[in-house]
Amino acid sequence: MVTSSDRLRDVLPGIAEREHSAPESYPKASIAALYEAGVIGAPFPAPLGGSGWQLTDAVLAIESIAAASPSTALIVSMPLGLAGIFGLGADIAPTAWRPQWAKQIEQVAADYQQGLVYAACNSEKGAGGSLEATQTVANRGDDGRFRLTGEKILASSGRNAHMFFSTAKVSQDDLPGAGIVEFFFVQVGSPGVGILNDWDGFGMRPTESQTVRYVEAPARDLVGFPNFLALVQPLQYWYCLFAAIPLGCARTILTSLGAPAPRSAALRLRLSDAVMRYEAMRAYLIETAAGFHAGAGPGYAARVLRAKTYVTQEATKLCAELFALGGGRNYRRSNRIARTLADSFAGTALRPPLALALDMLVENFSLGAAEE
Ligand SMILES: Cc1cc2nc3c(=O)[nH]c(=O)nc-3n(C[C@H](O)[C@H](O)[C@H](O)COP(=O)(O)OP(=O)(O)OC[C@H]3O[C@@H](n4cnc5c(N)ncnc54)[C@H](O)[C@@H]3O)c2cc1C
């Protein structure tokens, strides 16, 4: 039987080729190929067109895609993570919301089969990656529909997206039982959705991570059910995927410098050391990802925070150290290793950004039983 992992292997050379030939362009064909191959929808169960991937499968896929094209991996991590959460199934919803949630899972899975691009549009200027600091609001109109108003930044895929999922604050009057923020689906092209053209990334240039302005933009619907983020704890799924991106960057730089093996003994020593560090990070991330389940609790959230922080920080450092060993021939803006080095730094910026993650680690530090 041909699996999603086999089909991923088949599309990787084309993704790497497009990264090489069009390093500044949104990788539309690569994203389409990954939808077509069933990779982005792989966490859905088989009856909904997926392969029942677990988070470890998704992490390994993102690492491989990142090794071919970091920007493609970043773009794909958003809808792949969403599929991972929707793939958890109807049973994770409170009983009263279960039929609606089951219907939404089917609808999103059907959209994935058509190759519709889902994208995350959550970050806000001045929020520093903190959900509590979200300024965007969703108000329910007399027609029962939620409308979003606020400004988002760094929404990867930009105009190439079909559907954004966006965080917004909701009042208890409008949605009894609502959490600090809720997720909403907002269709690109709806009235009140303005997508700017202000992306000028240091790395990850093809991602089209644009500013988005919502002015009374109608939401298609609430994602899931009230207090979705607190009840399901979906963000940990994405954090593991984000960590896999700089890991893939490290793999690319390592293989570019290490194969064929250099003659210099010093280089062989440094590269051996780099392989051990890469393997250790990868094992830490995979072991962390294996523990994911819905509503996994504060101990697991703390473990993911540590793993995401450690892997993104150390992978980025490793990329920088390897780049320094690469010599002058790589010291060109258009060079693959140089571009990969710039791309790797997005890992520490992705949610939760490094400074916020360190603040959280300090605030919640404990070696007690709850952390086991
Ligand atoms: C290449 C790239 C692609 C991205 N793609 C997406 C995407 O597709 N969708 C998306 O939603 N986001 C995306 N992001 C955004 C990213 O996920 C982070 O959430 C966002 O960058 C975090 O904000 P910041 O780093 O701009 O923080 P800044 O606002 O620059 O703040 C820096 C630091 O200051 C502190 N800080 C500032 N304000 C606060 C506050 N109010 N509360 C607590 N601490 C604070 C924090 O420690 C924070 O880390 C992308 C980012 C990059 C670099």
Side-chain angles (χ1 to χ4, degrees):
M1 200 186 81
V2 181
T3 64
S4 298
S5 308
D6 296 330
R7 288 194 295 266
L8 171 60
R9 220 166 296 126
D10 291 343
V11 298
L12 284 174
I15 291 172
E17 202 289 312
R18 283 185 285 272
E19 169 75 23
H20 175 71
S21 59
E24 297 266 321
S25 307
Y26 183 81
K28 210 173 192 143
S30 296
I31 303 300
L34 287 163
Y35 270 106
E36 170 89 6
V39 171
I40 300 181
F44 285 112
L48 296 180
S51 302
W53 269 11
Q54 301 299 302
L55 178 52
T56 45
D57 303 305
V59 161
L60 292 172
I62 288 293
E63 195 215 345
S64 299
I65 299 168
S69 165
S71 292
T72 305
L74 195 154
I75 294 164
V76 163
S77 66
M78 307 302 174
L80 182 63
L82 192 76
I85 302 311
F86 276 58
L88 293 169
D91 293 351
I92 64 164
T95 321
W97 286 84
R98 222 165 269 174
Q100 194 169 324
W101 169 234
K103 218 169 116 208
Q104 199 175 57
I105 295 172
E106 282 176 23
Q107 184 178 12
V108 173
D111 283 354
Y112 275 43
Q113 285 185 296
Q114 283 185 56
L116 302 183
V117 177
Y118 275 61
C121 180
N122 299 313
S123 298
E124 298 187 7
K125 212 184 278 176
S130 151
L131 284 181
E132 287 79 0
T134 300
Q135 300 284 328
T136 299
V137 291
N139 293 312
R140 197 195 278 271
D142 293 339
D143 57 358
R145 203 149 188 199
F146 282 100
R147 287 178 176 76
L148 273 67
T149 298
E151 183 168 301
K152 301 291 189 182
I153 56 168
L154 296 160
S156 296
S157 282
R159 228 164 267 108
N160 300 282
H162 171 81
M163 186 74 72
F164 287 135
F165 48 96
S166 283
T167 42
K169 288 201 161 155
V170 195
S171 74
Q172 293 293 326
D173 287 345
D174 278 352
L175 187 71
I180 297 171
V181 289
E182 297 289 344
F183 269 141
F184 292 89
F185 284 132
V186 180
Q187 193 162 331
V188 173
S190 301
V193 179
I195 302 174
L196 274 59
N197 200 10
D198 59 348
W199 173 239
D200 181 23
F202 165 60
M204 297 290 190
R205 293 185 61 81
T207 59
E208 297 258 348
S209 302
Q210 311 286 7
T211 295
V212 173
R213 287 195 184 130
Y214 290 139
V215 182
E216 294 278 312
R220 186 183 74 181
D221 40 23
L222 170 78
V223 174
F225 36 86
N227 208 14
F228 188 75
L229 277 96
L231 293 177
V232 181
Q233 285 184 242
L235 299 183
Q236 280 66 36
Y237 197 106
W238 276 288
Y239 297 170
C240 288
L241 297 187
F242 295 159
I245 300 171
L247 195 63
C249 293
R251 180 163 118 192
T252 291
I253 300 184
L254 191 50
T255 43
S256 304
L257 298 181
R263 258 176 301 172
S264 153
L267 270 184
R268 284 173 182 242
L269 178 64
R270 286 289 186 93
L271 290 170
S272 302
D273 180 59
V275 173
M276 291 185 275
R277 288 162 66 189
Y278 161 76
E279 287 175 349
M281 282 186 271
R282 193 168 189 263
Y284 183 24
L285 182 58
I286 289 170
E287 192 194 85
T288 304
F292 180 83
H293 58 94
Y300 183 67
R303 167 67 187 257
V304 172
L305 180 68
R306 291 194 295 273
K308 192 271 174 186
T309 304
Y310 182 83
V311 173
T312 54
Q313 187 176 238
E314 295 304 310
T316 305
K317 276 190 210 160
L318 184 56
C319 288
E321 287 175 32
L322 290 171
F323 181 72
L325 294 171
R329 75 201 143 101
N330 298 317
Y331 195 75
R332 293 170 64 86
R333 216 160 52 87
S334 58
N335 174 272
R336 183 175 181 222
I337 295 180
R339 282 207 334 267
T340 305
L341 173 71
D343 291 343
S344 75
F345 279 92
T348 50
L350 285 165
R351 204 178 281 273
L354 181 59
L356 182 65
L358 294 174
D359 281 344
M360 288 157 77
L361 285 171
V362 170
E363 206 172 303
N364 301 320
F365 179 75
S366 154
L367 293 176
E371 295 290 311
E372 294 303 309

